[in-house]
Amino acid sequence: MKIIDCEMPQNYKLIVSSDWHIGAANCDIKGIKDMLEDARKSKAYLTFNGDLLESIDVSDKRFSVKQAAMDLITLQEQINYIVDLLMPYKKQILAIGIGNHEHKHINKFNPTIEMCRRLGVNYGAVTYILQMMNKGKLMHRFFLTHGNGGMPKG
């Protein structure tokens, strides 16, 4: 399990979010943008617990035209969209974890690591711990997981 130490102010706000499913027709883009704007205004920190991507493209047997956002069909289009969306907030992002939708690509490449690399933020894996430190002293510890139903640990 990955442990990520975060130097934090004494008082902070943390928003934990997951399961955006960017690329799905029923993805609530407006709600996501509203949450990010709230984070910006309140100077909140952010961490994401996976499934930011839908990751179901035309080559996947689960693909359905009715369930796809037609402008975000490919995995790369979904990654690019999220990176562009999160870039203005990258200094507020403590980590991004991987969910089962991203994990299905793990044998070829890890889309969550790619997003983290492009944003310059921590990769949290399936399960991770955020340790909120102030001047080197532990204030809070958060255990975060997307769960691992059907996924290997790590």
Side-chain angles (χ1 to χ4, degrees):
M1 180 179 334
K2 188 165 189 177
I3 299 174
I4 302 169
D5 289 340
C6 305
E7 187 62 31
M8 305 294 288
Q10 189 70 34
N11 296 306
Y12 64 90
K13 178 179 178 181
L14 176 65
I15 296 173
V16 180
S17 185
S18 68
D19 294 279
W20 294 359
H21 294 276
I22 296 289
N26 63 350
C27 173
D28 185 4
I29 297 286
K30 182 187 178 319
I32 292 165
K33 288 179 177 180
D34 289 347
M35 181 267 307
L36 291 170
E37 184 59 17
D38 175 60
R40 185 192 64 75
K41 287 179 181 175
S42 65
K43 298 181 179 164
Y45 292 89
L46 300 157
T47 193
F48 305 111
N49 269 3
D51 282 359
L52 299 187
L53 305 170
E54 180 64 2
S55 297
I56 297 176
D57 61 20
V58 293
S59 66
D60 191 306
K61 65 182 179 185
R62 299 171 297 166
F63 178 79
S64 164
V65 171
K66 291 180 182 178
Q67 295 178 351
M70 297 312 288
D71 57 336
L72 297 170
I73 291 288
T74 70
L75 178 61
Q76 197 58 55
E77 287 170 337
Q78 294 171 26
I79 291 169
N80 291 343
Y81 184 89
I82 287 178
V83 169
D84 290 345
L85 180 67
L86 293 179
M87 192 61 74
Y89 308 94
K90 69 181 186 175
K91 291 184 179 175
Q92 293 170 259
I93 300 171
L94 302 177
I96 301 175
I98 187 170
N100 56 299
H101 280 248
E102 295 93 1
H103 197 274
K104 70 180 220 120
H105 300 282
I106 205 82
N107 291 332
K108 294 180 252 174
F109 98 117
N110 185 326
T112 306
I113 287 178
E114 173 66 13
M115 290 185 293
C116 291
R117 183 191 64 75
R118 288 174 54 188
L119 289 164
V121 302
N122 290 306
Y123 170 66
V126 173
T127 301
Y128 59 104
I129 293 174
L130 290 180
Q131 295 190 141
M132 308 314 213
M133 314 292 284
N134 182 266
K135 299 177 185 171
K137 186 174 179 180
L138 179 65
M139 295 187 299
H140 304 108
R141 184 177 290 132
F142 295 96
F143 173 83
L144 299 138
T145 187
H146 187 80
N148 65 351
M151 296 190 312
K153 294 181 180 174

